[in-house]
Every structure is written in C-alpha cells, then in structure tokens.
Amino acid sequence: MKSFKRQINLVLNTEAHLAIIHEQCHELVQFNTQAGSKDKLILWITEQPVTPLPGFKHIAPKHARQILGQEYALVVYDISLGIRANTLYSVMGCIHLGGRLILLTPYTDISLLPSALPQSFDTDVQPSRFNQLIAQELSHIGVNYLCEPDDLHDALLLWQKHQQARITRILPFEVNSLLAAAKSKQQMHAHTIARQLNTTMFNLIYQQKSAIPNDILANFHVLIAERGRGKSYLLGMVCGLVNQAYCHHIFIVTQSDEASKAIRKSLNANEHSTPLSDRSFLTNGINIVLVAPDDPRLFTHGPELNHDEVSKTLIMVDEAASLPVQWLLNLTEHYQHIIFATTISGYENNGLGFSLSFLPRLANYHQHELDNPIRFLSPCPIEQFTTALLQPPSTMNTLSADLASQELNLSYTDGLHFVDKNDMTTNKQLRKAIMNCLMIAHYQTSPDDLQRLLDAPDMHCYIYINDQHIVGCVWIMLEGCFTNAQLCNDIACGTRRVTGHLSVQQLAYTYGAPELLKKSIWRINRIAVLPRNQNLGYGSQMLNAIYAEAKTQHIDLITSAFGASPVLLRFWQKNQFTPIKQGLQVNSVSGRVTAIVARSVQHNAIKDLWQHIQCNYSLLQAWNALVSNGKISTEDDSGNEHESEHTINMLHEFIHNKRSLDYVDMYIYKFIHIDQVGSHITQSNILWQRYHDGVVIEALIKEYNLSGKNEYISKIKEAVRGLLSKTSNLTAEQFDNKVI
C-alpha cells in the first residue's frame, strides 16, 4: 500500500531524463484514452515555451492558481530558474492517488538554485534561503534523487502501473478499504447537511410554531476541508438530497470550468440528474446552474424582491476563502440558504479573511469538516512536506488557540528585536510563530511571503518580546534610496516604473515628488499582535520601538498602507502617523478604500518635502470631497510660489501625455479655482462643469456626444491646453491669490 501513496522525486533536467518522462507519460495517456477518459493526466509547469501534447496541460509558474480543484496523475515542475512558493503549494493538492510530483532541477542540491522571486530594483542577488529550507525539508522526508536515467525509468514504470490500477479501479483491498471509509464519511456529511437544509427550508416556508428562531436564521453552512477531501464532489451530492418541495433553484458558484469538474462529475453520477448543458442540470426536479462570482443573475434582485423564489433558492460557493469578504457578505444579504465550501489553511486568494473577517460577522451557521482524503492515502509524504515547509494553521476551530499558544522561550530581553534571516530559516518554531502572526494581520498572506522574508534583501522582520514570549511581529520593507536623479524624475512624472518600492513610487507619482524617491523609507508591510496580547497596548509599543529603531538607522520616513477602516485609521493616528493619501475606489477584496499613512523620522532633513506632501494631500481631499458629495473647499490651499509652479508643471505633464487624468484631476481642480484663472472660463465650459460643479464623467460624455472615456480625456486635455495658454502671462503673486 505504501507504493500507492503520493511521492516527490527530484530529477535531473537532461534530455535523457525528459525523454523517459515523455515516453512513460505518453503510454499512460494512451491507456487513459483507451479506457474512455478524456481527462488531462499530466501537468507541466515551466517558464519555457513548449509544444502542446495530448493529455498534457502546460502552464507558467505564475498561473498555478488556475489548477486549484483539478487532479493530475503527474505534475512536472521545472525549477531550473528557481522555485516559487505559491506554485509549489498550489500543485500539492491536485495530485491523484499514487501520483507524483517531479521537480526538474539542473543540480542534485537544489539549495544551489537561484531565487525565483522578482528582485526589487537596485538590490543585490543573494543565495536563496528558501531553497535551502526546501532542500532541508525534502531530506527529512527521504525524497529520492533520481539522477540516473535507469532509476527514473523504473520509478515511472511503477507509477504507470499504479495509475492504470487507479484508472481501471482495480486497486489493492487495503487501498479500497481506506478510500471507501473516507467516501462513507463524505456521504454521511452530505446527508447531514441536506437534512439540516431541508428542515430549515421547511420551517421558513411553513413557519412552523415549533421552529426555534435560531434554526430559521441559521441556514448558512460552512464546509471545511483540506485539499483532496472531496468537498466539491460533496456539493454535487447535496444537490441530489435537497427536497424539491422546498428548493426550486441551486446556484453553484465556481471560478472556472476546470475548478467545477468534480462538482459536474458528482451531478452526472446521480441517476436522477439530467444535464441540460455543460453548466446546467435538472436534478430531482431542481434547476441547478454553475455560475461565476460575477454572474449578474446572483445579484439582479434586492434582498426585499422576489421573496418566494429567493426563499426557495440554495447557493453553494466553492473555494469561498478565495473570494472577497465583501462579496461573501453581499451574498448573505441576498439569500437565506448558503453553503460555503472551502479550504482555510490561509493560503487561498484571500487567506484568513474568510475565517478571521467573514465568519465572525455571521450570527449563526452550521460547521462541517471533512478529515479523510479521498483523492489519496493519508498520511501523505506530500502533505507532510507542505506542512513542514509552509506550516499553515491547522483548522478554523483551533486557529485562535493555536496562535495564542505560540510561546517561544527565547533568550531575548523584553522589547523589539531584529530577526536574522538565517535564524528564521533554521528555527522552525520561530518561523511558524512569525508566519501565523502575519497571517492574522493580512487576509492575503501567501507562501510567497515566507519566501520574500527569507530571500528578499530589502525585507526584514522584527519580533516583540515580553517575558521571553513572542507578542507580535512587524514586517518592514526598505524603499527609496534612489541615487539617479533622472530616474527619480521619470518615475515622478509617470514615464518609468521599477520593480518593488510600490508605496514610494505611488506617492512620488501622485504628488509629483521626485525627491521622495531619494529618501530612506521604511514601509510597514504588516504589523501583528497575537490574539491573547491584543488590546493591551502592544501594537503602539511596537510602533514606538520601530520609530526609535528607524532613528538609529537614519531612516527619513515610515509609511504604511491598509484598508482604511475607522478603527485602523484611529490606531495609526493615535501613534502619530498622518494620512497622506486615500483613494476613492473601494478595494474589491477588503471592501474599503486604501489609505497611506506616514510619520516623519528625520524631521529637518525632509521638512520641505513633508510640507509639500501634506499640502497636496489636503488638495486631494478637497477634490475627493467634490467628487463624492459635491462639496467645494473654501480653504486656501493654493500654497506658496513653489506649489503654484508645481500645479502648472503637473498640468503640462498631463497635456504632454506624461501623467494620466486620474493623477491630475486635483491639480485641474485647484487651477480653475484660482481667481485669475477661473475668470477665463465660462460656466458652460467642460472644465467648470467637471471641476466646479462636479458633473460625473458619464453625463459629460453624453452631453458632448463623445465616443467614450478616451475622447473625454482628449477634450479635457484640449481645454487645459487652452486655459494654460490664456493664463501664461499671470504672475506668481496672481496665482497665489485666494482661491474662489
């Protein structure tokens, strides 16, 4: 039975080895075709262009999320250019019973591989500690290095034999027994969920006097399972068990056709199910449709409309943790009966946002867990490797307790301490505590984040210690420090963009501030306090300690960016961080606009720059107020002579195609509100309509009979050019007069 467990092999990337892989895979694909299956059996991940082959799916490493929910007999990952953590984690769960993961490498020692992380601009390439960690964990589980072609040939012959047994379902008795036990538990959960659904639907429809109010409200179900446990297949089983008297429609939300394969397979296996198309079925008289998250049918009605139909509609959401929290909340406002099926290891698209942000907002829900794998045998070497390497939280039930118990008896004094990257590589307990802290702080923490902390030279971690126990951690990113003046100017006017330095580049471009790029800036990417230590002032203590550390290291400015909830804004402002940028567009993931805050460290060194940023932030707020609620600022934000020149420079960059309209709106707004400028335009002018009256763009496009946004921008550009021409002789003193 051991040989039917999934395995990892390291294989030398030579022509001889590749020929053997292709030969054995081709034979299995032929066998699979003769058996009547059309499934792709081989997943090949590489940066190199490849020729499409029957039965093979080829993807680039960056597209690995596309294969979540799919199954393959063999995954070949070409790691010659390095290993991406996200890619490695994604493929682990999609390998069949008896399947293999082959890592193609030019070296027998993969710690010699380069880092696959995109390097930030102007940083030195260093040895990959993440690759060292992978090599260390692979050695712990005894992974075979198949250096000789004969060894690879023999291993793949055995693999092919096991895959043929899986395809024909002629498996050893012990294997069948384990799989049958797992499927029995899966069926038990399906019946339990269906019974609870039917009971609550009945109560809601007929309003039984015996119904308990909480029973009526709690028709939300959360199905949790690690990958390979058959949660998607279970959704199809539940469809066949729901009573058609209470349920007329079922919408199953999936993110791709490939990801819905297991659901469709389950629906097709039901003898009472009739496929109407590839994405719609009639099962036991219930209309079942597979939809994408953006399908308009999901939200075409308000919560108060179509009550009869809505009350008889069941929603199933597959991989719910990969969807934005706000989207999930909107769904609960529209429907009464929902099943959320998902993994919750924290490495989905929105990570722990599901368990830490979404679930606490559900007043009542039923929780179900699938423990036994159906896709493979447990314990599994691949799962053991994944857990040891990336150490995701165990389950939602134990998450808080698990994180709160991360007590490291460290030999540090109380306070803030820099974490050496080598210590983080070798100390598993320290690494797990830090990663769990970070996963609490941000819903999009991914395996790549561990890789960045270990390999990126411009990213650093600090831990905060109290009584020899870890309280929290701070992830710092070094930005700025540019020395090329021309590069700084190019970035600030939008003609150049470099890898990394995201916040400082955005601020430099937003406010036309090239000098900002020359400063040494710490961006706090994450700050986290373990649950049992929260609301005790440790977050503020950590920020004060970071500020003191930044002073000793001659950092000019500390910044951070986050979803701007009132609570978070108050926290940062209480700790002397000032908002310096806030967007208007709501982030689809966080459900909030993004704010950037900053605190000056070397006050004298950046006094003028800090004043420039604050002045322009006030201007941005004034423009946002007009756009959002039609209010015109009456404050004089025209600034000094330098700020007037700066405004005109921004307008010139716009008309010379160096600056987009979105990043010049506030400067046009300021320009037309200066007395001497405003007198040159009429109230029927498009600039006056947009930047004084706040008329929306769509209305202006219609009024001026424009073809769309591009023609609108051209017309604004033409109007600005004309206005600059009319006002070119105005003096700086006239520009600095009080705004209208």
Side-chain angles (χ1 to χ4, degrees):
M1 186 189 72
K2 181 180 179 181
S3 58
F4 273 89
K5 290 191 175 181
R6 306 185 304 169
Q7 298 182 40
I8 304 175
N9 293 127
L10 285 161
V11 175
L12 283 179
N13 192 359
T14 68
E15 290 187 8
H17 289 82
L18 291 176
I20 293 171
I21 295 173
H22 279 100
E23 177 188 355
Q24 296 296 323
C25 289
H26 180 67
E27 289 181 7
L28 183 64
V29 168
Q30 283 187 319
F31 181 89
N32 189 59
T33 302
Q34 292 168 2
S37 174
K38 297 180 181 179
D39 292 342
K40 283 183 167 54
L41 294 178
I42 316 300
L43 176 65
W44 203 291
I45 305 173
T46 178
E47 297 280 7
Q48 306 300 324
V50 293
T51 303
L53 295 171
F56 283 63
K57 181 179 179 67
H58 295 91
I59 63 170
K62 64 182 179 181
H63 295 145
R65 286 192 182 275
Q66 295 177 1
I67 54 91
L68 290 177
Q70 300 173 39
E71 300 178 353
Y72 297 93
L74 182 71
V75 175
V76 181
Y77 181 11
D78 182 355
I79 60 173
S80 301
L81 300 178
I83 307 170
R84 283 302 292 264
N86 277 355
T87 304
L88 191 62
Y89 186 78
S90 295
V91 302
M92 293 299 184
C94 69
I95 300 174
H96 275 309
L97 171 74
R100 296 191 182 221
L101 169 64
I102 287 182
L103 300 176
L104 285 177
T105 168
Y107 313 114
T108 54
D109 183 0
I110 63 173
S111 64
L112 300 176
L113 291 170
S115 174
L117 278 181
Q119 295 295 317
S120 294
F121 175 77
D122 205 23
T123 56
D124 296 328
V125 178
Q126 299 179 351
S128 171
R129 296 177 183 83
F130 183 70
N131 291 345
Q132 295 172 18
L133 179 59
I134 290 175
Q136 169 186 309
E137 297 301 338
L138 288 176
S139 67
H140 287 166
I141 63 172
V143 167
N144 294 323
Y145 288 75
L146 303 179
C147 301
E148 298 299 327
D150 287 346
D151 294 336
L152 175 61
H153 183 269
D154 292 344
L156 288 184
L157 274 180
L158 182 62
W159 162 78
Q160 188 182 134
K161 176 183 176 182
H162 292 154
Q163 291 307 306
Q164 289 175 354
R166 181 188 61 80
I167 292 168
T168 58
R169 300 181 183 178
I170 305 175
L171 295 167
F173 174 78
E174 191 174 358
V175 173
N176 273 327
S177 297
L178 290 172
L179 295 178
K183 290 177 182 177
S184 176
K185 290 186 178 180
Q186 180 193 48
Q187 291 171 354
M188 180 186 69
H189 279 288
H191 281 275
T192 298
I193 294 172
R195 183 176 64 253
Q196 292 174 342
L197 282 168
N198 288 331
T199 300
T200 308
M201 285 179 168
F202 174 83
N203 289 334
L204 280 169
I205 293 171
Y206 297 106
Q207 294 292 301
Q208 294 291 302
K209 293 182 179 180
S210 60
I212 301 173
N214 281 347
D215 285 344
I216 294 177
L217 293 172
N219 215 18
F220 296 146
H221 296 257
V222 178
L223 173 62
I224 301 166
E226 291 300 325
R227 291 181 295 171
R229 267 64 180 177
K231 61 185 180 302
S232 298
Y233 194 91
L234 184 146
L235 293 179
M237 295 171 63
V238 171
C239 290
L241 298 171
V242 175
N243 193 318
Q244 63 174 319
Y246 317 138
C247 181
H248 292 172
H249 304 281
I250 298 177
F251 286 114
I252 305 177
V253 182
T254 65
Q255 299 195 57
S256 70
D257 280 336
E258 289 290 340
S260 66
K261 188 179 292 184
I263 297 172
R264 287 182 278 128
K265 183 178 180 181
S266 178
L267 290 170
N268 284 319
N270 189 318
E271 60 181 7
H272 301 294
S273 181
T274 303
L276 304 177
S277 71
D278 192 45
R279 295 183 65 81
S280 63
F281 299 80
L282 186 66
T283 302
N284 291 337
I286 301 173
N287 293 305
I288 301 170
V289 183
L290 278 69
V291 298
D294 59 355
D295 193 299
R297 288 172 291 184
L298 287 173
F299 300 108
T300 51
H301 62 85
E304 74 287 352
L305 301 177
N306 303 323
H307 181 269
D308 290 342
E309 283 304 304
V310 171
S311 65
K312 295 180 180 179
T313 298
L314 170 63
I315 305 294
M316 297 179 173
V317 184
D318 199 21
E319 291 302 342
S322 67
L323 293 166
V325 169
Q326 191 59 48
W327 184 94
L328 297 171
L329 291 171
N330 288 342
L331 200 67
T332 63
E333 294 174 359
H334 282 74
Y335 295 98
Q336 297 165 305
H337 318 293
I338 308 175
I339 302 175
F340 300 99
T342 191
T343 50
I344 51 118
S345 58
Y347 289 140
E348 296 76 23
N349 191 43
N350 296 306
L352 293 182
F354 181 82
S355 51
L356 294 178
S357 180
F358 171 65
L359 288 182
R361 303 192 203 185
L362 289 184
N364 299 279
Y365 62 89
H366 300 285
Q367 183 175 313
H368 315 269
E369 293 187 38
L370 290 173
D371 298 318
N372 300 85
I374 289 174
R375 193 178 297 167
F376 53 86
L377 300 181
S378 181
C380 170
I382 289 181
E383 276 201 328
Q384 291 171 343
F385 168 70
T386 306
T387 301
L389 177 66
L390 301 170
Q391 299 172 323
S394 49
T395 69
M396 182 173 58
N397 284 339
T398 60
L399 178 61
S400 295
D402 184 39
L403 294 171
S405 65
Q406 297 302 319
E407 298 183 350
L408 296 179
N409 293 315
L410 304 172
S411 57
Y412 294 115
T413 56
D414 286 359
L416 189 75
H417 295 275
F418 174 77
V419 177
D420 183 86
K421 292 178 184 288
N422 290 324
D423 289 343
M424 192 173 176
T425 305
T426 56
N427 189 328
K428 183 178 294 188
Q429 194 180 14
L430 175 63
R431 189 169 67 249
K432 180 173 183 177
I434 290 172
M435 288 305 296
N436 281 342
C437 272
L438 295 176
M439 291 171 80
I440 290 177
H442 200 275
Y443 41 78
Q444 288 183 296
T445 299
S446 72
D448 273 1
D449 290 331
L450 171 60
Q451 189 171 7
R452 292 185 183 101
L453 280 173
L454 294 179
D455 284 355
D458 54 349
M459 300 185 189
H460 306 286
C461 187
Y462 287 82
I463 55 175
Y464 198 78
I465 301 296
N466 182 60
D467 194 22
Q468 295 188 314
H469 295 155
I470 187 168
V471 170
C473 62
V474 185
W475 178 356
I476 299 291
M477 304 180 74
L478 176 63
E479 296 188 341
C481 306
F482 289 35
T483 57
N484 187 315
Q486 185 59 51
L487 175 62
C488 293
N489 289 330
D490 291 344
I491 292 172
C493 71
T495 59
R496 181 80 185 273
R497 186 88 174 180
V498 300
T499 304
H501 306 265
L502 298 180
S503 288
V504 70
Q505 288 191 88
Q506 186 182 47
L507 290 170
Y509 179 57
T510 300
Y511 299 131
E515 290 299 313
L516 186 63
L517 293 157
K518 301 176 184 179
K519 303 302 179 182
S520 298
I521 298 173
W522 270 2
R523 173 159 66 92
I524 298 177
N525 191 40
R526 314 274 169 83
I527 179 169
V529 177
L530 287 171
R532 68 173 182 178
N533 302 119
Q534 291 176 1
N535 301 315
L536 298 176
Y538 285 113
S540 296
Q541 292 178 36
M542 291 163 67
L543 284 180
N544 288 332
I546 286 292
Y547 177 79
E549 180 73 7
K551 267 200 164 185
T552 65
Q553 297 200 29
H554 306 290
I555 299 300
D556 295 305
L557 192 69
I558 304 174
T559 69
S560 189
F562 51 87
S565 70
V567 172
L568 279 179
L569 279 172
R570 284 197 298 271
F571 167 75
W572 287 97
Q573 289 176 301
K574 183 184 73 173
N575 287 284
Q576 302 180 56
F577 280 77
T578 303
I580 56 174
K581 188 176 187 301
Q582 190 163 329
L584 277 176
Q585 297 295 323
V586 174
N587 184 290
S588 63
V589 175
S590 67
R592 303 187 184 278
V593 299
T594 299
I596 298 178
V597 297
R599 184 180 181 185
S600 170
V601 181
Q602 306 297 336
H603 309 295
N604 293 331
I606 64 167
K607 180 180 178 182
D608 292 341
L609 182 59
W610 185 243
Q611 182 180 359
H612 170 76
I613 291 173
Q614 290 185 309
C615 176
N616 281 274
Y617 174 63
S618 297
L619 176 59
L620 179 60
Q621 285 182 303
W623 164 243
N624 287 347
L626 175 65
V627 174
S628 59
N629 54 36
K631 292 183 178 179
I632 295 180
S633 173
T634 57
E635 297 180 7
D636 180 3
D637 56 8
S638 57
N640 55 31
E641 180 179 347
H642 170 73
E643 292 302 333
S644 299
E645 292 177 357
H646 176 71
T647 297
I648 295 174
N649 287 337
M650 296 298 98
L651 299 183
H652 279 290
E653 287 184 5
F654 170 58
I655 64 176
H656 289 99
N657 303 316
K658 292 183 178 180
R659 180 168 294 273
S660 69
L661 179 61
D662 292 339
Y663 285 87
V664 81
D665 274 326
M666 65 179 181
Y667 297 109
I668 302 176
Y669 166 82
K670 174 180 177 178
F671 194 58
I672 74 153
H673 281 80
I674 297 172
D675 282 335
Q676 300 300 323
V677 176
S679 62
H680 286 270
I681 58 177
T682 65
Q683 294 185 8
S684 61
N685 186 288
I686 192 171
L687 294 181
W688 187 272
Q689 291 173 294
R690 175 60 177 161
Y691 296 97
H692 185 276
D693 297 339
V695 178
V696 298
I697 293 175
E698 291 75 11
L700 292 172
I701 290 174
K702 184 176 181 180
E703 178 180 342
Y704 287 89
N705 196 26
L706 304 176
S707 60
K709 183 72 175 290
N710 288 339
E711 191 175 357
Y712 165 78
I713 293 173
S714 296
K715 190 166 183 66
I716 292 291
K717 195 172 293 184
E718 179 185 350
V720 170
R721 185 183 289 109
L723 191 58
L724 284 171
S725 176
K726 291 177 182 179
T727 58
S728 60
N729 295 324
L730 292 177
T731 64
E733 288 77 17
Q734 288 174 307
F735 273 122
D736 289 335
N737 282 344
K738 186 176 180 180
V739 297
I740 296 174

